[in-house]
Amino acid sequence: MDVVHSALHAGHDGGVELHRGQLVPCYECPARVDFIEQALRAAGRHTWLPPRDFPLERLLNIHDAGFIEFLRTAYPRWRAEGRDGSMLPSGFPARGLRRDRVPSGIHGAMGYYAFDAGTPIVSGTWEAALASAHCAMTAAALVTEGARAAYALCRPPGHHAASGTYGGYCFLNNAALAAQSLRDAGKARVALLDVDYHHGNGTQEIFWERDDVLFISIHGTPDTEYPYFLGYADERGAGRGEGYTLNLPLQRGTDWAGYSAALATAREAIQAFRADALVVSLGVDTYDGDPISAFKLRKEHFPLLGGQLAGLGLPTVLVQEGGYAVEDIGHNVAAVLGAFDGAVLR
């Protein structure tokens, strides 16, 4: 399988985040990619490619122009105020506050565009996020050019980023950009399956009113799990998109039996949709050793996931999302990709 990867990811090293009320070192760190790369290179079956360049305007198919300008200029504006280190917001436009104006100052703008205080911006964040988006778009291009599948080793991840907000370690929605790239290349119906432990709230918002992209997410229930305010089963889309969002929330402690049942439901929906291509938001934080998640998938279950994804028989773009058990992330990703490749070759 082709693997698209950029070393620019390492420029985004956030330092600290606010996690469940405590200031802690960032779980989303450069070492995640290092361990994935080591495991995939050890497997020896992949072709490594750099991302292609794409015009900045391609991002505007998914994201708001003002939001992109904020991300592009945020850290220089921060530095212009004599600050350094990590940027974290301290105020948000919650209920009862105005949401129709972007404050001119960097601190207010940060809170306007962010939805949590767990996603720091540092000097290399924009370059890393843009390269990550280019990885996903390149993987989509490879698939439209005839590859059965391609894997985008994206960091930072993307599925929490909405059209005009960032959070959950995500700045640009890599999976959504991949799906849009497939649509632009002529794939009439694209299924986007999010298997990360956390709900892909940004992806849902982006495709909420569209019927050409089916969004499905299997995730920890928002009753107790981040991002808390989206991901319930009664969220089904709106307008033309009504019925094209499928949320499959599961309780903390769900094991492979419960997870695989939800996966079967997702596969049936993708088949009924008659998808022409598949994008997978591949989070492996469903692993029972993950420090910020609470499913109970073990190492032997990730090859089963890869086989189930391959069994859909669709041109597939796999986009890396979460996974924070750093020393095991490489094994789990390699297991998914290896089983996918093996199922395709059989």
Side-chain angles (χ1 to χ4, degrees):
M1 185 184 297
D2 290 334
V3 174
V4 188
H5 166 57
S6 170
L8 290 176
H9 81 90
H12 175 64
D13 192 351
V16 294
E17 63 172 282
L18 188 65
H19 175 72
R20 294 187 182 261
Q22 293 185 316
L23 199 62
V24 299
C26 288
Y27 289 101
E28 203 293 293
C29 59
R32 298 175 62 244
V33 165
D34 297 338
F35 278 97
I36 295 172
E37 182 175 2
Q38 290 169 19
L40 295 183
R41 289 193 184 278
R45 63 170 66 93
H46 304 292
T47 301
W48 291 78
L49 300 169
R52 303 174 187 177
D53 287 329
F54 296 90
L56 193 65
E57 289 73 20
R58 288 282 295 273
L59 302 180
L60 304 184
N61 292 330
I62 294 297
H63 292 291
D64 298 339
F67 175 59
I68 295 300
E69 181 65 10
F70 166 78
L71 291 178
R72 192 181 68 81
T73 62
Y75 203 77
R77 291 172 64 188
W78 176 260
R79 290 289 293 131
E81 292 198 355
R83 299 175 179 272
D84 57 13
S86 301
M87 293 176 60
L88 287 173
S90 57
F92 305 91
R95 291 181 299 276
L97 300 179
R98 292 187 64 169
R99 305 184 187 188
D100 61 331
R101 294 189 62 168
V102 183
S104 60
I106 185 59
H107 303 283
M110 197 183 348
Y112 180 89
Y113 286 114
F115 64 85
D116 69 20
T119 309
I121 293 176
V122 297
S123 60
T125 296
W126 169 248
E127 290 76 11
L130 184 61
S132 188
H134 286 178
C135 286
M137 296 162 73
T138 301
L142 293 168
V143 167
T144 63
E145 292 162 5
R148 170 65 174 82
Y151 167 65
L153 180 44
C154 289
R155 182 182 173 273
H159 70 149
H160 292 304
S163 57
T165 55
Y166 72 96
Y169 310 143
C170 303
F171 301 94
L172 299 173
N173 196 307
N174 306 313
L177 287 162
Q180 186 63 51
S181 295
L182 293 170
R183 284 288 295 113
D184 292 342
K187 302 294 186 185
R189 293 177 298 276
V190 177
L192 202 164
L193 174 60
D194 192 323
V195 298
D196 190 278
Y197 178 79
H198 304 95
H199 178 251
N201 60 287
T203 313
Q204 174 171 303
E205 185 258 8
I206 287 165
F207 296 116
W208 184 247
E209 296 187 9
R210 289 176 53 170
D211 60 1
D212 56 336
V213 176
L214 172 68
F215 172 65
I216 304 175
S217 180
I218 307 170
H219 54 272
T221 174
D223 278 327
T224 58
E225 307 308 301
Y226 185 91
Y228 307 116
F229 306 110
L230 276 183
Y232 291 94
D234 63 352
E235 298 161 16
R236 301 281 295 165
R240 289 179 55 189
E242 185 173 359
Y244 293 91
T245 290
L246 174 61
N247 284 311
L248 300 168
L250 302 173
Q251 295 298 317
R252 292 173 65 88
T254 294
D255 60 10
W256 176 250
Y259 190 89
S260 61
L263 183 59
T265 299
R267 282 166 44 90
E268 291 170 3
I270 292 168
Q271 291 164 341
F273 180 59
R274 302 190 308 280
D276 299 307
L278 173 67
V279 176
V280 178
S281 274
L282 181 60
V284 293
D285 45 0
T286 50
Y287 176 52
D288 68 355
D290 197 274
I292 60 172
S293 306
F295 285 170
K296 298 299 181 183
L297 272 62
R298 299 190 301 273
K299 289 183 178 181
E300 62 265 28
H301 297 136
F302 290 98
L304 302 179
L305 173 60
Q308 290 290 309
L309 297 174
L312 287 164
L314 294 169
T316 302
V317 179
L318 299 114
V319 177
Q320 188 61 48
E321 301 285 2
Y324 308 101
V326 176
E327 294 185 1
D328 292 321
I329 188 174
H331 175 278
N332 294 335
V333 170
V336 173
L337 300 189
F340 189 105
D341 276 342
V344 168
L345 292 174
R346 282 199 297 273

